[in-house]
Amino acid sequence: MKVSILGAGNWGTTLSIKLSSNKKEVALWGRQKEINEIKTTGVNKTYLPEVVVPSIIKITSDIEAALDFSSNLLIFAVPSQALRDIARKVGKLRLKADIILLSVVKGIEVGTLKRMSEILLEEIRCDPSQICVLSGPTIASEVIKGMPTTAVCASESRETAGFIQSTFMNTSFRIYTSQDVIGVELGGALKNIIAIASGIIDGLGLGANSKGALIARGLAEMTRLGLKMGADPLTFAGLSGIGDIITTSISGYSRNRFVGEQIGKGKKLDEILSSMVMVAEGVSTIKSAYKLSKKYDVPMPITHEMYKVLFGDKEPKDAIASLMGREPKPEMY
Amino acid sequence: MKVSILGAGNWGTTLSIKLSSNKKEVALWGRQKEINEIKTTGVNKTYLPEVVVPSIIKITSDIEAALDFSSNLLIFAVPSQALRDIARKVGKLRLKADIILLSVVKGIEVGTLKRMSEILLEEIRCDPSQICVLSGPTIASEVIKGMPTTAVCASESRETAGFIQSTFMNTSFRIYTSQDVIGVELGGALKNIIAIASGIIDGLGLGANSKGALIARGLAEMTRLGLKMGADPLTFAGLSGIGDIITTSISGYSRNRFVGEQIGKGKKLDEILSSMVMVAEGVSTIKSAYKLSKKYDVPMPITHEMYKVLFGDKEPKDAIASLMGREPKPEMY
């Protein structure tokens, strides 16, 4: 089987190595800078310095060359706000008629409020049954070390989801299938909002009770929005929802949690982002979710407070006080 | 309002102090040892050494004296396997006809597989509408410091749940109401199994991806059992379910996580338990849940593996390998 991966960040590079060790023929496309680095040093220094990229993997900065490969599977692993441009380029190329398109991107397009798989469908001629999404608690630096990891792949087509499951699964990477594409994608995107908020709790030193409460109430507001958008609410209680929230909210490697922690300690957003190499998807997801909560008329108090902290002038500790000080409520409403 | 609290462990003592600061008249009953310690030093050294118990709280080792008080609210904060004995003693005393009975105990009776509120109903003559349970991510040492904390109180009667909400709520302790007594009690009990398993992951050094996966899959098996037992599945996605799981699984203060961590490091259960002052409820809950999964014919692979590790001779790392190596599955079934 031939696999092309677009995006040589830490997740795209990790997947290229894992699939190669699962005996797939892999091509990895990235920007000139990363590709040159890998070509000259054997290592993706900027995004995945821990490991050598095996020379059996074809690396290229030319999308057509990556696809020239007559791929059976095309994986998108680029930043969410860059996906449309890249998908549009792919849409102009000749693909195998039965190619499977897999998004591993966690975000929502800010301008259109579209999910990643919706963008693929709009930009590349294919049937919805050819599209799949993969999400879950998958910190790349742990996956690359072979530490036990799980994820869920969702497609309208059971067959497509089963194909992805058998392509990725091995003794240290366990894959579950689902047909709830909307739920899996929304969970993967929205959890980064909660990860930023968790980081703020860390930065303010507020403790484990607060973090447990934040995550449970964050899950509630994600689920409320998901229901209105057509997701199965139980998906949010699964690997791509709560599983990913937990991992992102406790891991020292999470960029989104890191952004929140710095904000909790009093730093300004611009200052934090300009010091980071990688994209913290949660920052743009807060904008998208803020708009979605208004569009669908769903109360999302944590998202709204995070919006005020990141894009207004609200102090983090005042945001927490606002969340604690709301009128008494039943848990579900 | 007059409140009697039975159990001077760290949670009973914490609640006595919080309710006293909420302007309630409070009596606290405990065993001779704790009561003597508080009387002579002003501090519950064994269970809550950080804080002085205000002298305005009546402390006693005589249950009748604690109740003589003509209480409006009676709180049970004793170990789960001791609740029936104490409730039986209370059942022989004269209580106010409209007294509210509140359980804050997180466990399941091993012999009968009864929930705590069921034991109260069996041992004390009252109407189900007089019974309430309180659960959630409430590590005592954070609550006592006034760090932001939330919990959920559930009663068949909205009025009773509302009464508990208004009795406990203040700016640092936010209470939600629910009518799902079964779900809130099961969540509070079963989460300790996941906390022990999380500790094992810490002890083995398996990382954040594993912990996220464990918690999500643990939530799934708790929810499956709860559904069969009559709970609302969404309750497990709330504060008393996932909220409490997260807090217990990340907190350095959690006794259940501690037990798991020691097991992960190779210690034997007897050795660990004999070194602890406080009860780790999860140990008996693993026995109860193991029996419940057979009684209700619900697959609970994590609980079963934990049972084999704690009460069989299975090595923790082999239990994790068994969980990762199961046949490929859809996420929900």
Side-chain angles (χ1 to χ4, degrees):
Chain A
M1 187 201 307
K2 295 178 179 181
V3 183
S4 300
I5 300 177
L6 304 184
N10 69 352
W11 194 217
T13 308
T14 295
L15 290 177
S16 74
I17 298 170
K18 296 305 275 186
L19 289 174
S20 175
S21 75
N22 278 5
K23 314 285 176 214
K24 316 301 174 197
E25 201 179 329
V26 178
L28 175 65
W29 170 86
R31 291 177 302 184
Q32 196 68 54
K33 183 175 170 297
E34 287 92 67
I35 295 303
N36 282 348
E37 225 170 50
I38 301 173
K39 279 193 174 157
T40 52
T41 67
V43 171
N44 188 340
K45 278 194 183 166
T46 312
Y47 293 110
L48 197 73
E50 306 95 321
V51 65
V52 170
V53 179
S55 58
I56 199 173
I57 295 172
K58 174 178 175 179
I59 54 172
T60 172
S61 59
D62 172 358
I63 288 192
E64 216 168 334
L67 281 166
D68 183 29
F69 219 64
S70 64
S71 299
N72 308 94
L73 171 60
L74 176 54
I75 301 177
F76 293 85
V78 297
S80 61
Q81 307 307 311
L83 180 68
R84 189 178 291 276
D85 268 0
I86 289 160
R88 191 166 289 166
K89 282 181 191 140
V90 170
K92 289 174 186 152
L93 302 174
R94 235 169 63 109
L95 304 174
K96 283 190 83 158
D98 62 351
I99 193 169
I100 301 297
L101 307 176
L102 175 68
S103 161
V104 299
V105 186
K106 295 174 177 176
I108 297 164
E109 200 175 37
V110 176
T112 63
L113 302 181
K114 294 280 169 82
R115 290 175 286 106
M116 301 296 105
S117 70
E118 291 180 297
I119 294 173
L120 295 183
L121 261 175
E122 285 174 5
E123 302 293 343
I124 303 171
R125 197 160 53 187
C126 67
D127 188 82
S129 67
Q130 289 172 266
I131 291 195
C132 196
V133 300
L134 178 80
S135 196
T138 54
I139 299 273
S141 57
E142 294 190 3
V143 174
I144 205 69
K145 289 178 197 141
M147 293 165 87
T149 298
T150 60
V152 56
C153 62
S155 173
E156 284 184 23
S157 153
R158 273 180 213 276
E159 203 187 331
T160 301
F163 164 77
I164 296 296
Q165 184 179 46
S166 63
T167 302
F168 283 82
M169 196 151 164
N170 62 39
T171 53
S172 65
F173 198 20
R174 181 167 171 81
I175 311 290
Y176 293 82
T177 57
S178 162
Q179 292 185 271
D180 183 13
V181 177
I182 301 176
V184 168
E185 279 194 301
L186 284 180
L190 297 172
K191 63 94 194 179
N192 281 326
I193 300 174
I194 313 304
I196 291 178
S198 279
I200 289 181
I201 284 183
D202 291 340
L204 291 171
L206 290 183
N209 290 349
S210 295
K211 199 178 258 196
L214 170 84
I215 294 177
R217 299 306 301 166
L219 179 65
E221 72 181 55
M222 282 167 58
T223 306
R224 281 198 293 269
L225 178 65
L227 256 171
K228 283 270 180 96
M229 293 178 71
D232 180 335
L234 286 179
T235 299
F236 296 95
L239 293 171
S240 57
I242 195 67
D244 201 0
I245 296 178
I246 291 162
T247 299
T248 317
S249 299
I250 64 177
S251 169
Y253 291 103
S254 163
R255 310 160 219 174
N256 293 288
R257 199 203 58 77
F258 174 81
V259 168
E261 187 171 16
Q262 298 303 308
I263 290 174
K265 288 181 173 166
K267 289 221 178 122
K268 290 291 159 208
L269 183 62
D270 289 349
E271 191 186 340
I272 302 162
L273 295 182
S274 63
S275 75
M276 292 172 72
V277 180
M278 301 195 222
V279 175
E281 287 282 6
V283 175
S284 59
T285 305
I286 287 174
K287 282 186 193 161
S288 300
Y290 179 80
K291 290 189 198 175
L292 284 168
S293 87
K294 297 198 159 186
K295 178 177 172 186
Y296 288 95
D297 192 22
V298 174
M300 298 182 75
I302 296 171
T303 300
H304 281 236
E305 291 299 326
M306 289 302 108
Y307 187 87
K308 289 176 199 162
V309 169
L310 266 69
F311 307 113
D313 272 330
K314 192 154 186 176
E315 289 294 325
K317 67 173 176 12
D318 295 338
I320 302 294
S322 296
L323 290 169
M324 290 295 289
R326 297 162 65 232
E327 70 276 29
K329 280 186 191 297
E331 188 171 32
M332 280 178 267
Y333 57 99
Chain B
M1 185 201 309
K2 296 177 179 180
V3 184
S4 301
I5 300 177
L6 304 184
N10 71 350
W11 194 217
T13 308
T14 296
L15 290 176
S16 74
I17 298 170
K18 296 306 275 187
L19 289 175
S20 173
S21 75
N22 278 5
K23 312 287 175 213
K24 316 302 174 197
E25 199 179 330
V26 178
L28 175 65
W29 170 86
R31 290 177 303 182
Q32 196 68 54
K33 183 174 170 299
E34 286 93 68
I35 295 304
N36 281 348
E37 225 169 52
I38 301 173
K39 279 194 174 158
T40 53
T41 67
V43 172
N44 188 341
K45 279 191 180 166
T46 312
Y47 293 109
L48 198 71
E50 304 96 322
V51 65
V52 170
V53 178
S55 58
I56 199 173
I57 295 173
K58 175 178 174 179
I59 54 171
T60 173
S61 59
D62 172 359
I63 288 192
E64 215 168 334
L67 282 167
D68 182 31
F69 219 64
S70 62
S71 299
N72 307 94
L73 170 60
L74 175 55
I75 302 177
F76 293 85
V78 297
S80 62
Q81 307 307 312
L83 180 68
R84 190 177 291 275
D85 268 0
I86 288 160
R88 192 165 288 164
K89 282 181 189 139
V90 170
K92 289 175 184 151
L93 303 174
R94 236 168 63 110
L95 304 174
K96 282 189 85 158
D98 63 351
I99 192 168
I100 301 297
L101 306 176
L102 175 69
S103 162
V104 299
V105 186
K106 294 173 178 177
I108 297 165
E109 199 174 38
V110 177
T112 63
L113 303 180
K114 294 282 169 83
R115 290 175 285 107
M116 301 295 106
S117 69
E118 292 179 297
I119 294 174
L120 295 184
L121 260 176
E122 285 175 5
E123 302 293 342
I124 303 171
R125 197 158 55 185
C126 67
D127 189 82
S129 67
Q130 288 172 267
I131 292 195
C132 195
V133 299
L134 179 80
S135 197
T138 54
I139 299 271
S141 57
E142 294 190 2
V143 173
I144 205 69
K145 289 178 197 140
M147 292 165 87
T149 299
T150 59
V152 56
C153 61
S155 173
E156 286 185 22
S157 153
R158 273 181 213 277
E159 202 188 332
T160 300
F163 165 76
I164 296 296
Q165 184 178 46
S166 63
T167 301
F168 283 82
M169 195 151 164
N170 61 40
T171 52
S172 65
F173 199 20
R174 181 167 171 81
I175 311 290
Y176 293 82
T177 56
S178 163
Q179 291 186 271
D180 183 13
V181 177
I182 301 176
V184 169
E185 278 193 303
L186 283 181
L190 298 172
K191 62 95 193 180
N192 281 326
I193 300 174
I194 313 306
I196 290 178
S198 280
I200 289 180
I201 283 181
D202 291 340
L204 291 171
L206 291 182
N209 291 349
S210 294
K211 200 178 259 196
L214 170 85
I215 293 177
R217 298 306 301 166
L219 179 66
E221 72 180 55
M222 283 167 57
T223 305
R224 282 198 293 270
L225 178 65
L227 255 171
K228 283 270 181 99
M229 292 178 73
D232 180 335
L234 285 179
T235 298
F236 296 95
L239 293 170
S240 57
I242 196 64
D244 201 0
I245 295 178
I246 291 161
T247 298
T248 316
S249 300
I250 64 177
S251 169
Y253 291 104
S254 163
R255 309 160 219 176
N256 293 288
R257 200 203 57 78
F258 174 81
V259 167
E261 188 171 16
Q262 297 303 309
I263 290 173
K265 288 182 173 164
K267 289 222 178 122
K268 291 290 159 210
L269 183 63
D270 289 349
E271 191 186 339
I272 301 162
L273 295 182
S274 64
S275 76
M276 292 173 72
V277 180
M278 300 195 223
V279 175
E281 288 282 6
V283 176
S284 59
T285 305
I286 287 175
K287 284 187 191 162
S288 301
Y290 179 80
K291 291 189 196 175
L292 283 169
S293 88
K294 298 200 158 186
K295 179 177 172 186
Y296 288 95
D297 192 23
V298 175
M300 298 182 76
I302 296 170
T303 300
H304 281 237
E305 291 299 325
M306 290 302 109
Y307 186 86
K308 290 175 200 162
V309 169
L310 266 69
F311 306 113
D313 272 330
K314 191 153 186 176
E315 289 294 325
K317 68 173 176 12
D318 296 337
I320 302 295
S322 297
L323 291 169
M324 289 295 289
R326 297 162 65 231
E327 70 275 32
K329 281 187 190 295
E331 188 171 33
M332 279 178 268
Y333 57 98

